[in-house]
C-alpha cells in the first residue's frame, strides 16, 4: 500500500527535510529518510546549525583540530557547515542523478548578518559554492531588497540559488524577475543554463501566526472565523503568480533555451497553532512542481496520517482572494504584516547565528584548553 509521502510525490510534490546534522549523516538516518520517507533534498539555516552544534559530540574531533590550528569562530563555522553540506550532497547524489538535477539538493545559507549588504552576500555565496564544490548545492539568499540584486548576480555566475524569507506576493514577483534576469545574464556569459536550479521559499505558518494574533485583537466572530486561513491563501496565490510568470514570453524563451522554472517551495510548514491539523501546510498545499520542506515532526505526521487528496491549490485562487478581502475588512494590514515578518525573520536568523558563534567559540576555547594540557 502506498504511503502518504509516496502519494505526495506522485502528485508532483518534492519532499525536502528542513534539518541537517552530522549525526543524521553518520548514522545513516538521512539515507534512511530518502529510502523510507521519500525525502529528496535538505534545507538548512542558522537555527538548524545552531541546534546541531549545541549537541555537538559528532563535531568534537573537528573542533579540536580547528582549535589546534588557531581557526577563528567564523572560520570554524564555515568549515564545519560546508563539510556537513558537502557530505549531505554526496548522500543525495543518486537522487540528483535520477531526477536530472531537479532534486537531490542541499541548501546552505549566507550569513544572515549580510541580509542588507548586496556585495558581501554575493561574495559569500560564491565562497560557499566553491567550498562545498558539489553540483547539487543551493546557496540560500534572503529576499530582502538588498538580496534581490545578489540573487541575480549569483545566478548570473552559474550558481544555483534557494531564495528564502519570502512573505508577500509583491516581493515574490521581484524574486522571479531577479531569477529570470540572472538566467538571461548567465546565458549571455556562456554558462550552461540547463544546470541552473532555483527555488523560491515562501513562508507559510509564520503568516498565520502574525495574522491570527491580530485577528484575536480584533475579537469579532468574523475575525475569529478567519484564523488559520491567511497562510494557505497567500501560498496558493503565490502558486497562481508562479504559473502566470513562467508562462510569459520572457520565461518561455528561456525555457526553450534549456532553462528551468524556479519552483515554489513551501517553508515554515510546521504547524504552530495546536488547534490546527498538524499536516495542514502539507495536505492543503499540494500542486505539481512544488517543494515542501518539512521539519521531521511534520514529515512523520504526514507519513503517519496525512490524507493526500490530489491538487489542493489550483482552482482556489478566487476563494484565496476573498480571504484577503475579508482580512482587509477586519482591519488587518497585510502589507505591514509581511514587512514585520521579513524584519523578524532576518533578526531571528541573526540571533541563531550569534548563538551558533557562541557555541563554536566556547567549543574552540575548550579544544584549545584541552590541547594545552
Amino acid at each position: 500500500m502506498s504511503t502518504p509521502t509516496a502519494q505526495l510525490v506522485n502528485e508532483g510534490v518534492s519532499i525536502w527535510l528542513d534539518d541537517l546534522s552530522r549525526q543524521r549523516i553518520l548514522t545513516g538516518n538521512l539515507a534512511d529518510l530518502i529510502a523510507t520517507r521519500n525525502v529528496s533534498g535538505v534545507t538548512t539555516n542558522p537555527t538548524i546549525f545552531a541546534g546541531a552544534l549545541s549537541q555537538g559530540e559528532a563535531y568534537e574531533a573537528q573542533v579540536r583540530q580547528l582549535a589546534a590550528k588557531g581557526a577563528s569562530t567564523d572560520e570554524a563555522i564555515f568549515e564545519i557547515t560546508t563539510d556537513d553540506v558537502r557530505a549531505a550532497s554526496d548522500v543525495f547524489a543518486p537522487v540528483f542523478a535520477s531526477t536530472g538535477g531537479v532534486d537531490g539538493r542541499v541548501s546552505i545559507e549566507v550569513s544572515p548578518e549580510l541580509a542588507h549588504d548586496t556585495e558581501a552576500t554575493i561574495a559569500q555565496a560564491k565562497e560557499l559554492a566553491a567550498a562545498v564544490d558539489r553540483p547539487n548545492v543551493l546557496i540560500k539568499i534572503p529576499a530582502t531588497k538588498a538580496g534581490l540584486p545578489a540573487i541575480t548576480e549569483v545566478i548570473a555566475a552559474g550558481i544555483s540559488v534557494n531564495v528564502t524569507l519570502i512573505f508577500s506576493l509583491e516581493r515574490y514577483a521581484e524574486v522571479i524577475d531577479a531569477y529570470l534576469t540572472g538566467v538571461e545574464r548567465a546565458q549571455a556569459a556562456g554558462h550552461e543554463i540547463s544546470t541552473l536550479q532555483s527555488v523560491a521559499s515562501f513562508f507559510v505558518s509564520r503568516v498565520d501566526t502574525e495574522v491570527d494574533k491580530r485577528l484575536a485583537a480584533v475579537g469579532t466572530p468574523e475575525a475569529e472565523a478567519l484564523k488559520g486561513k491567511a497562510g494557505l491563501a497567500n501560498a496558493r496565490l503565490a502558486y497562481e503568480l508562479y504559473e502566470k510568470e513562467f508562462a510569459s514570453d520572457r520565461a518561455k524563451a528561456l525555457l526553450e533555451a534549456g532553462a528551468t522554472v524556479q519552483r515554489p517551495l513551501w517553508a515554515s510548514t510546521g504547524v504552530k497553532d495546536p488547534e490546527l491539523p498538524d499536516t495542514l501546510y502539507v495536505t492543503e498545499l499540494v500542486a505539481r512542481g512544488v517543494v515542501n520542506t518539512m521539519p521531521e515532526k511534520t514529515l512523520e505526521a504526514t507519513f503517519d496520517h496525512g490524507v493526500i487528496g490530489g491538487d489542493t491549490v489550483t482552482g482556489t485562487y478566487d476563494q484565496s482572494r476573498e480571504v484577503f478581502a475579508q482580512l482587509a475588512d477586519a482591519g488587518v494590514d497585510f502589507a505591514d504584516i509581511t514587512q514585520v515578518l521579513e524584519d523578524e525573520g532576518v533578526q531571528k536568523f541573526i540571533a541563531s547565528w550569534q548563538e551558533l558563534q557562541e557555541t563554536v567559540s566556547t567549543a574552540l576555547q575548550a579544544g584549545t584548553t584541552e590541547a594545552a594540557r
Side-chain angles (χ1 to χ4, degrees):
M1 195 170 143
S2 178
T3 65
T5 54
Q7 291 164 15
L8 203 54
V9 172
N10 289 337
E11 292 293 339
V13 177
S14 293
I15 300 170
W16 291 4
L17 177 69
D18 193 28
D19 192 51
L20 183 64
S21 67
R22 192 160 297 178
Q23 191 78 358
R24 283 195 188 278
I25 298 165
L26 294 176
T27 60
N29 169 264
L30 198 54
D32 185 55
L33 291 174
I34 295 170
T36 66
R37 301 292 187 267
N38 306 92
V39 169
S40 60
V42 157
T43 49
T44 67
N45 60 44
T47 306
I48 285 167
F49 277 126
L53 267 292
S54 67
Q55 300 158 13
E57 290 125 9
Y59 298 96
E60 283 175 1
Q62 185 175 19
V63 169
R64 277 198 299 273
Q65 289 167 356
L66 289 164
K69 68 179 188 183
S72 70
T73 298
D74 284 351
E75 286 167 346
I77 290 171
F78 188 89
E79 194 161 323
I80 289 165
T81 57
T82 54
D83 279 1
D84 276 4
V85 168
R86 189 182 311 107
S89 297
D90 290 344
V91 173
F92 279 100
V95 179
F96 179 72
S98 68
T99 60
V102 174
D103 282 318
R105 296 279 174 171
V106 184
S107 297
I108 185 170
E109 190 158 346
V110 295
S111 164
E113 293 179 326
L114 309 178
H116 303 298
D117 186 332
T118 303
E119 293 306 317
T121 294
I122 293 165
Q124 192 175 88
K126 290 178 177 178
E127 195 182 358
L128 285 167
V132 174
D133 192 26
R134 293 294 185 272
N136 48 335
V137 70
L138 288 173
I139 307 303
K140 278 179 95 169
I141 298 175
T144 55
K145 277 292 184 188
L148 294 169
I151 292 157
T152 294
E153 183 67 32
V154 173
I155 292 279
I159 296 167
S160 295
V161 171
N162 175 341
V163 183
T164 189
L165 284 178
I166 308 172
F167 295 98
S168 73
L169 296 175
E170 294 75 18
R171 184 57 54 84
Y172 181 36
E174 292 177 303
V175 166
I176 294 172
D177 178 65
Y179 170 67
L180 293 174
T181 304
V183 176
E184 287 162 349
R185 286 180 44 193
Q187 185 182 38
H191 289 293
E192 179 48 68
I193 60 171
S194 66
T195 61
L196 272 174
Q197 281 279 339
S198 183
V199 291
S201 297
F202 214 85
F203 280 52
V204 188
S205 68
R206 291 193 195 183
V207 169
D208 276 338
T209 301
E210 183 65 27
V211 169
D212 291 359
K213 183 172 76 178
R214 299 192 190 196
L215 289 170
V218 173
T220 64
E222 293 81 7
E224 287 293 322
L226 286 168
K227 283 187 174 182
K229 292 184 177 178
L232 292 176
N234 200 36
R236 287 165 170 171
L237 292 176
Y239 191 80
E240 181 189 38
L241 183 62
Y242 155 76
E243 289 181 308
K244 175 173 160 252
E245 293 298 326
F246 283 96
S248 69
D249 290 342
R250 180 192 186 192
K252 277 182 185 167
L254 289 170
L255 297 175
E256 283 164 12
T260 62
V261 296
Q262 180 188 51
R263 290 184 292 168
L265 178 151
W266 311 134
S268 181
T269 57
V271 174
K272 295 175 175 63
D273 182 348
E275 292 182 14
L276 296 173
D278 58 359
T279 61
L280 181 72
Y281 304 123
V282 178
T283 61
E284 299 308 308
L285 289 174
V286 177
R288 194 151 293 281
V290 302
V291 179
N292 193 310
T293 184
M294 309 177 196
E296 188 171 25
K297 188 177 175 185
T298 304
L299 173 65
E300 290 302 329
T302 301
F303 180 81
D304 180 65
H305 54 263
V307 178
I308 311 303
D311 186 328
T312 49
V313 175
T314 54
T316 66
Y317 307 141
D318 287 343
Q319 181 188 335
S320 298
R321 274 186 276 276
E322 179 59 26
V323 169
F324 281 99
Q326 290 171 346
L327 285 170
D329 289 345
V332 174
D333 183 346
F334 197 72
D336 179 67
I337 281 170
T338 55
Q339 190 57 57
V340 165
L341 288 170
E342 181 183 305
D343 293 343
E344 272 184 3
V346 171
Q347 285 308 313
K348 282 176 180 174
F349 279 161
I350 287 174
S352 295
W353 186 257
Q354 289 167 346
E355 182 189 330
L356 177 58
Q357 287 174 317
E358 198 174 312
T359 300
V360 172
S361 176
T362 303
L364 285 171
Q365 286 166 8
T368 305
T369 303
E370 196 173 309
R373 281 176 185 158

